[in-house]
Amino acid sequence: MDVTADEPRPWLGRSLPRVEDAALLIGRGRYIDDLGVPPGTLHAAILRSPHGHAEIVSIDPTRARALPGVTAVLVGSDVQAHSASLLVGVKAPIECWPIATDRVRYVGEPVAVVAARDRYVAEDALDLIEVAYRPLPAVIDPRAALAPDAPVLHPGLEGNLASDRVFRYGDPERAFADAAHRVAIEVDYPRSACTPIETYGVVAEYDPGLDAYDVLANFQGPFSIHAVIARALKVPGNRLRLRTPPDSGGSFGVKQGVFPYIVLIALAARATGRPVKWIEDRLEHLAASTCATNRFTRLEAAVAADGRITALTWDQIEDCGAHLRAPEPATLYRMHGNMTGAYDIRNVSIRNRVVLTNKMPTGLNRGFGGPQVYFPLERLMQRIAHELGLDPLDVIRRNLVPRGAFPYRTASGALLDSGDYAAAMESALLQGGVAELIARRDAARRDGRLYGIGYAAVVEPSVSNMGYITTVLTAAERRKAGPKNGAQSTATIALDPVGSVTVHVASVPQGQGHRTVLAQVVADVLGLKPAEVRVVTDVDTAKDGWSIASGNYSSRFAPAVTGAAHLAAMRLRERLAHIAAAQLNVPAVDVVFDGGRVQARRNRDNALSFARVAAASHWAPGTLPSEADTAIRETVFWTPPELTAPNDADEINSSLCHGFIFDICAVEIDRVTAEVRIDRYVSMHDCGRMLHPGMVAGQVNGGFAHALGAALLEEHAYGPDGSLLTGTLADYLIPTAMEVPEPLILHHETPSPLTPLGAKGVGEGNCMSTPVCIANAVADALGVADVSLPLLPARLAQQVHGPEKAPRGKTPVRPAAKEAASERQLFGEGEASVDAPATTIWAMLLDPNALMAVVPGAHAIEKVSDTCFTAEITLGIGPVKGRYRATMELSDLDPPRALTLTGSADGALGFGRGTGQVTLREEAPGRTVIGYRYQAAIGGKVASIGGRLLDGAARVIIGQFFASLARQAGGGGRPAGLWAWLRRLLGFA
Amino acid sequence: MKPARFDYVAAASAEEALEALAQEGGNARILAGGQSLLPMLNMRLARPTVLIDIMGVDEWRAVDRDGDVLRIGAAVRQVALEQDPDLARFQPLLAAALPWVGHPQTRSRGTVCGSIAHADPSAELPLVLVALGGTVHLRSRRRKRVLSAQNFFTGMMSTAREDDELIEAIALPKARTRTGYAFREVARRHGDFAIVACAAVVNGVRAQLAVGGVADRPALCELPAPGAAGLDEALDDFAWSLEARDDLHATARYRRELVRRLGRTTLEEAVRCRA
Amino acid sequence: MPRLSADCRHMVSFTLNGAPVSGEAEPRMLLSDFLRYVVGATGTHVGCEHGLCGACTVEIDGQPGRACLTLAVQVRGAQIRTVEGLAPAPDRLSVLQECFREHHGLQCGFCTPGILVTLDALLRDNPAASEPEIREALAGHLCRCTGYVSIMRAALAAQQRLGKKTDA
């Protein structure tokens, strides 16, 4: 039926105001925490590991359970009693629980769940749960995790390597043998996340009669995870009703990671017999939601003399954190068809290893796998130009997939659906004013300023093939598991008895304006105004049409979901055309839908109101023509045939659509502060047909800001002991309006032939192109080969400021000042002179009461043995005070000259361990010099949220101890002067 | 992320506040604007048993400009000074530094004295107090005493305030003639705590530079004025003497470099501003 | 001297968007929680509870401040204004809100209420606010969706339109 062929689309393609906005602007959004809950709903709080790696020796929730207002406390064994391990996506003997069972493997890992009257009381109860840990060595670097002597996270696995696969396409060995040049690059791509401003939320209920769970969560999909959750809860899929709220406060992939908490809170509801609600707080989010993978990559190219690349060799070591959580290792395989980027390179070899480390488990994050691939690839393009003495633009030009080659099958199996990369690039260079930027750079350099220009060419995949992740399995394993492929998208259009139109989709928007665009799509087909079309996007798996591919990820809305809605509207219209045809006395093919009326094509006055035709199936089904069937509700599932399973050669069309981006970045680096200022950023996009240009711009600007953050500011940083260093928004730095410049956005449209409306994804591309484009500009400005993210001024300062002269002789430098930035170990030394004989001080050190009197706030001292004491102590700096259980042990006794003092303290705020060598030297009768050297390590909450101040604070506390020791021993000799002197020794004068 | 329990006392007069403080001592915290204290309460880093809210104490709400000092009471919010059109005339260094303190949405609640009491080594207002040689007016039920800024700050988030004392006011010298003032800061983002903040006061041949964000408290150094011999060497000595440390956001070396370079820039700006 | 015990709830009353509201709160209850869970004004959102994201920004006695860094008991008797109080009528958006809609100044809308409160106060108190002044006020808010470009456009458009209104 071709009634659409010659009709204009008056709504699609226009930047209409969004239907979502009116409610959001007056504070009437309906996010998960805004919705009512049943009477009696309990509120959950989660106790989390302060250690990067430790054995749980014991958990005692007795005091917490006894707190008035607390209904239940769940620990690992309670969770294991009623659930199964989360599915793991590789063939390896590892389990994945949503809560620690016998050991903790990252800071923030859940250890216990409290359900209480309100969140305040629930957090009070957390303070009362007593957990004894035995710390284990941690490993946080992916390469270090592969070392034979590395600490092992999952004993069943023997090492930390969860997957190791080698791929070969074309004849890379020959290409390398024949190549004029080989150029290689190594990259450590750091961790970051898109940190939505709304955190995770779950409300769960359990029906014991049905053994069924009803869960509301701001989950974003993919709904393949529904199967994972149901399996973990040990119920069939129809006993897990999963609903999403009408509004969600951003996700960018991250809210896929709520699913382990769905399991936990569902089990808490089961345990308490009450609905349980949990809203994640920001500290929980930064420590234990999810983030993108960090990855080590070695990439080498075989290059001809003219810069043409004939082969690539990838060696990727992917760090998925402490657990391989579904759908990981998908980050590593999402780009598998696109490992040659925008370039025509026929020979590729790839080695992919997946390792586990003591960090937060990774998951979906905007750009998913793209930033980690394009950073090495586009840095390599710049290095090739540099090493061969070529213009970087020429190297890009010579390698781009040529115009006219589309659809183009890449070496590893992706089908690049459409594009004209060269034309888009040349247009970007022209419109973006590259000639002017180069002149500006020349002028700046003449003035001794640091100015650089970078480029990046990127293919942006969208609409993921649900089968790409199986590329991690061997062909034989895939045959055994059965084929996985496709990407079902779904839309339902319903007509009610007054003929108004409602669209339901399972696209789970988190701010992308799906309701607006779908109203435009359907209004166009049915000849209505968008305002007349109601779109409902909250999902209920018990009622709605959905599939494993449903959800909001891989930029699938514009290319796929709108297509499904379009197809559903077309089908419904065809039926309505038959209904109208009978009444208008024209053939159905001559029925036109326009302006809220259904008309005869050749006589527009021969018409019915749309509402009358649309309501007919409700009121008079007996009079409908047989071709019309019933026109009340139409559901369409659409999956593109191009998304096939990986073949035996491991070729995989990992995504349906492939947009193209060409970015230009010009930066100047401040000579004084080494700060990077973006002078101009140009981003050329080919995202196929633009359905709503205003939203396209919003997606590009938003993705650009995320990428700018990843390039300049953001990193989930860990200390070598596994401590989390970025536990607050004062340390995990999200760009503000002051940091984000406005990019110049350009477009070059080549519609996709593979999607119903010609659209491609556009939301993720800048997360792939922008970090490396900025890095290329910075490398150009500084003339260096190595740049690593985030581009901290303090790192760039090495190049900007040049070598530092040693201090002039008269200013001594304490050894402590030389500590490395990442070391959580604290070293120090000092001396104190005391008016007391050495034997007095010695006696004090060996007397628990005297020793503990030295520690401010110590009480409840117990002598375990002659050389071992325990106590409760209160330590603090300024308002930050906490209670700790402390032990102190003396060894290497050499009376009255030397001993070693080993101490530890554990409390709600964190833990510390240290060793000090104490020497006593009588410099005059009755006058002793106490010398000490110590090394200490601090971790836990204080490390995560007070890192900036921690070392200094610890130093103060250690200083307080020795000052107090001297004061006690000196019997009040010269307290003030001694205090001041000690402080100076400790470095605080 | 909710505070642990505490009692709350809304003091209606100075005597009430001091009485409550005398009774509770170290278990109490003074609540003024709350912009430093509330994050610590929410994270349960601080667990006082009682908060004494002093914002209702009328006598502490005044900014007194009589005489040659600017006396700022304990309940004066940062925004009140920021919006004072005469501030730049009375004390240009404070006027230059205030916009760097947090964000407008925290300056609206936060007090000047609260920031001083918190004594964060990277905070701007303690730096200004030290740079200007201001004083801290402490009061308890027992006594009143006045400390110089240098004697008040004793270390990282540590001050000479005793448990039963509160800061009743701070006093800053008003701008002096033929004296130039300048403030510069480098932070990761606008509004973040300083990696290095510099406050310069230049008067004739006398140049003073105070630096925050590097040592455990604001550090003050007398230097040769720009143009005079030996400034670079003196800045270098000063930079080394601060014993900068590495952290997540910056290296010790970067901090030293900023003390040298930003310090010089700030001093030069102060010379230019000398009226 | 009145001392509110930690173990009890105490009456808290203030004016919210021009109308009196009251409810009970422990001394430790944050204003953000009081507004959302006691009063039921859920337009004010919570994003970090340590004062850095800006989502919970409300106007307290004429100045934008963080509801998460304010105790409910601290605002007894105060004038509070939230996103729910910005529109002139239930079926009409304010000029600022309308400009956000026209310029796509929001996507997920979660940070928007706080941003609107800040900008509403800024444009009222400083109608001639410069582009850098608007940007600096915005720097107290984190938005993860828009990249701030459309927010700046909306704010500048609102300023122009409000300026014209004042002139007329």
Side-chain angles (χ1 to χ4, degrees), chain B residues 69-238:
Chain B
V69 298
L70 201 60
R71 187 185 152 105
I72 300 166
V76 175
R77 299 195 198 272
Q78 292 153 13
V79 69
L81 289 165
E82 195 181 3
Q83 290 178 349
D84 179 347
D86 295 329
L87 183 67
R89 195 154 50 82
F90 280 115
Q91 190 27 264
L93 186 63
L94 181 61
L98 268 174
W100 292 87
V101 181
H103 294 286
Q105 299 87 350
T106 58
R107 297 197 291 273
S108 65
R109 307 275 307 154
T111 61
V112 174
C113 290
S115 176
I116 302 293
H118 191 59
D120 188 294
S122 297
E124 291 82 7
L125 294 174
L127 175 65
V128 168
L129 190 72
V130 167
L132 294 173
T135 53
V136 179
H137 298 247
L138 292 164
R139 182 170 164 192
S140 69
R141 209 177 49 176
R142 295 176 291 134
R143 62 171 174 177
K144 287 185 177 186
R145 60 182 177 135
V146 180
L147 292 181
S148 71
Q150 296 263 48
N151 287 336
F152 177 72
F153 297 111
T154 58
M156 157 120 18
M157 291 168 71
S158 304
T159 69
R161 184 185 72 82
E162 305 218 346
D163 282 345
D164 66 343
E165 284 180 317
L166 54 73
I167 299 180
E168 183 176 37
I170 62 152
L172 299 171
K174 282 187 190 165
R176 299 193 178 96
T177 51
R178 289 187 298 284
T179 304
Y181 301 88
F183 183 89
R184 291 278 181 113
E185 177 171 319
V186 169
R188 292 288 307 278
R189 296 173 306 177
H190 181 81
D192 284 339
F193 279 107
I195 289 174
V196 171
C198 293
V201 181
V202 178
N203 173 10
V205 290
R206 197 158 166 260
Q208 286 193 302
L209 181 68
V211 168
V214 186
D216 68 327
R217 71 193 96 152
L220 184 66
C221 187
E222 186 137 339
L223 297 159
L231 176 59
D232 282 340
E233 290 76 9
L235 274 170
D236 186 52
D237 289 348
F238 185 37

Side-chain angles (χ1 to χ4, degrees), chain C residues 122-123 126-131 133 159:
Chain C
L122 177 72
L123 298 180
N126 183 6
S130 63
E131 197 266 1
E133 282 171 329
Q159 188 211 33

Side-chain angles (χ1 to χ4, degrees), chain A residues 457-665:
Chain A
V458 154
V459 164
E460 175 182 2
S462 52
V463 190
S464 282
N465 183 344
M466 297 310 282
Y468 77 73
I469 180 59
T470 62
T471 316
V472 70
L473 304 175
T474 64
E477 287 169 337
R478 287 197 294 266
R479 275 192 294 275
K480 203 172 152 196
K484 295 193 174 54
N485 60 68
Q488 292 280 12
S489 58
T490 172
T492 296
I493 303 180
L495 302 174
D496 60 40
V498 294
S500 60
V501 179
T502 304
V503 181
H504 296 259
V505 290
S507 64
V508 204
Q510 278 99 12
Q512 294 94 341
H514 291 186
R515 285 161 57 200
T516 301
V517 175
L518 289 170
Q520 289 175 272
V521 168
V522 172
D524 275 349
V525 175
L526 299 180
L528 300 171
K529 293 183 190 123
E532 294 169 318
V533 178
R534 175 92 192 265
V535 182
V536 177
T537 53
D538 37 323
V539 172
D540 180 342
T541 59
K543 292 179 176 176
D544 295 331
W546 62 279
S547 163
I548 60 159
S550 296
N552 187 14
Y553 62 96
S554 76
S555 305
R556 64 196 305 281
F557 173 73
V561 178
T562 61
H566 178 78
L567 295 173
M570 294 288 285
R571 280 196 207 161
L572 199 59
R573 188 176 73 174
E574 184 172 342
R575 292 194 201 161
L576 293 173
H578 282 290
I579 294 171
Q583 297 184 39
L584 298 174
N585 282 319
V586 294
V589 291
D590 283 340
V591 173
V592 175
F593 291 72
D594 191 19
R597 295 167 66 78
V598 186
Q599 306 159 325
R601 185 183 304 278
R602 286 174 189 74
N603 175 10
R604 298 288 177 116
D605 292 335
N606 182 15
L608 298 161
S609 78
F610 176 84
R612 188 179 180 89
V613 178
S617 296
H618 282 282
W619 297 106
T623 61
L624 301 183
S626 59
E627 304 92 320
D629 197 357
T630 294
I632 289 182
R633 192 178 184 95
E634 183 67 48
T635 297
V636 161
F637 281 84
W638 178 75
T639 185
E642 291 81 9
L643 295 184
T644 53
N647 63 19
D648 283 359
D650 289 321
E651 290 161 349
I652 174 66
N653 186 21
S654 32
S655 303
L656 177 66
C657 300
H658 295 90
F660 176 73
I661 302 176
F662 185 81
D663 282 1
I664 304 161
C665 178

Side-chain angles (χ1 to χ4, degrees), chain A residues 176 179 181-185 298-303 309-313 345 380-381 384:
Chain A
F176 271 96
H181 304 277
R182 299 168 78 115
V183 182
I185 190 161
R298 184 176 193 281
L299 173 62
E300 184 166 25
V303 190
I309 301 168
T310 55
L312 290 176
T313 294
I345 304 169
L380 184 70
M381 297 304 284
I384 289 171

Side-chain angles (χ1 to χ4, degrees), chain A residues 119-120 123-124 127 281 283 671-673 675 712-713 717 725-726 728-731 733-734 738-739 792-794 797-798 801-805 807-808 810-811 814 819-821 877-881 909 941 945 948-949 952 955 983 987-988, chain B residues 1-5 26 29 37 40 43-47 118 120-122 154-158 186-190 192-193 216-217 233-234 236-237 240-241 243-254 256-258 260-262 265:
Chain A
R119 175 72 183 227
Y120 288 76
E123 292 193 19
D124 291 343
D127 290 341
D281 71 32
L283 301 188
R671 279 265 181 209
V672 172
T673 65
E675 290 169 312
L712 299 178
L713 293 164
L725 306 181
T726 46
T728 73
L729 290 180
D731 285 316
L733 302 181
I734 292 170
M738 300 293 276
E739 284 78 40
L792 263 61
Q798 303 280 356
H801 294 152
E804 184 181 36
K805 279 191 303 197
R808 293 193 296 171
K810 67 175 185 182
T811 315
R814 283 185 307 114
E819 286 163 30
I877 294 289
V880 183
K881 281 210 180 73
L909 294 188
K941 191 171 180 177
I945 64 190
R948 183 173 62 87
L949 304 171
R955 226 168 264 282
R983 299 181 41 72
F988 291 107
Chain B
M1 211 175 151
K2 311 292 182 190
R5 287 165 200 262
R29 296 301 301 183
L37 183 59
M40 297 200 152
M43 294 177 189
R44 300 195 175 206
L45 287 173
R47 315 185 69 139
H118 191 59
D120 188 294
S122 297
T154 58
M156 157 120 18
M157 291 168 71
S158 304
V186 169
R188 292 288 307 278
R189 296 173 306 177
H190 181 81
D192 284 339
F193 279 107
D216 68 327
R217 71 193 96 152
E233 290 76 9
D236 186 52
D237 289 348
W240 283 105
S241 74
E243 299 185 338
R245 312 190 63 80
D246 291 337
D247 66 16
L248 185 65
H249 301 297
T251 59
R253 194 219 140 148
Y254 178 64
R256 283 192 297 274
E257 210 63 73
L258 287 182
R260 295 181 195 108
R261 292 165 190 258
L262 199 67
T265 314

Side-chain angles (χ1 to χ4, degrees), chain A residues 62-329:
Chain A
T62 315
R63 288 171 64 213
R65 284 185 177 137
L67 185 72
V70 172
T71 304
V73 180
L74 277 73
V75 299
S77 54
D78 303 314
V79 168
Q80 286 183 302
H82 297 288
S83 66
S85 162
L86 301 166
L87 267 179
V88 173
V90 299
K91 298 285 174 219
I94 37 178
E95 293 190 325
C96 179
W97 293 92
I99 190 168
T101 56
D102 54 349
R103 67 161 86 179
V104 291
R105 296 180 174 88
Y106 64 98
V107 169
E109 180 156 24
V111 172
V113 182
V114 170
R117 181 179 68 216
D118 61 43
R119 175 72 183 227
Y120 288 76
V121 173
E123 292 193 19
D124 291 343
L126 297 186
D127 290 341
L128 301 175
I129 301 172
E130 285 165 27
V131 188
Y133 297 98
R134 193 174 68 80
L136 299 169
V139 61
I140 61 152
D141 177 78
R143 275 180 287 176
L146 289 174
D149 58 348
V152 174
L153 274 78
H154 296 266
L157 200 57
E158 288 175 353
N160 295 312
L161 181 64
S163 167
D164 187 355
R165 284 224 63 199
V166 173
F167 304 89
R168 181 174 176 277
Y169 305 96
D171 191 350
E173 298 82 2
R174 192 189 170 99
F176 271 96
D178 293 348
H181 304 277
R182 299 168 78 115
V183 182
I185 190 161
E186 290 191 354
V187 169
D188 274 300
Y189 198 86
R191 289 187 156 209
S192 63
C194 290
T195 48
I197 304 300
E198 181 198 42
T199 56
Y200 291 168
V202 180
V203 183
E205 292 182 63
Y206 176 70
D207 179 341
L210 287 173
D211 188 24
Y213 294 94
D214 189 333
V215 175
L216 176 73
N218 53 11
F219 175 67
Q220 66 136 42
F223 279 73
S224 52
I225 298 297
H226 182 276
V228 176
I229 301 167
R231 191 179 177 281
L233 291 171
K234 299 208 252 191
V235 292
N238 61 8
R239 304 286 166 94
L240 170 62
R241 180 179 182 180
L242 179 56
R243 294 178 293 125
T244 64
D247 292 308
S248 176
S251 175
F252 323 106
V254 174
K255 281 181 180 153
Q256 179 266 347
V258 71
F259 83 91
Y261 295 105
I262 292 178
V263 175
L264 273 188
I265 302 304
L267 291 169
R270 180 191 170 117
T272 56
R274 304 255 293 265
V276 178
K277 175 176 175 176
W278 171 70
I279 301 293
E280 181 194 48
D281 71 32
R282 182 57 61 186
L283 301 188
E284 296 182 279
H285 188 85
L286 289 169
S289 56
T290 196
C291 65
T293 60
N294 57 297
R295 188 182 296 177
F296 169 77
T297 302
R298 184 176 193 281
L299 173 62
E300 184 166 25
V303 190
D306 64 351
R308 184 88 179 85
I309 301 168
T310 55
L312 290 176
T313 294
W314 290 89
D315 187 356
Q316 305 187 97
I317 304 176
E318 178 84 326
D319 181 351
C320 287
H323 297 285
L324 207 54
R325 225 182 240 170
E328 294 290 27

Side-chain angles (χ1 to χ4, degrees), chain A residues 685-706:
Chain A
H685 283 255
D686 181 351
C687 59
R689 176 160 294 142
M690 288 194 282
L691 305 181
H692 188 295
M695 290 189 201
V696 168
Q699 287 298 312
V700 173
N701 282 319
F704 172 74
H706 273 141

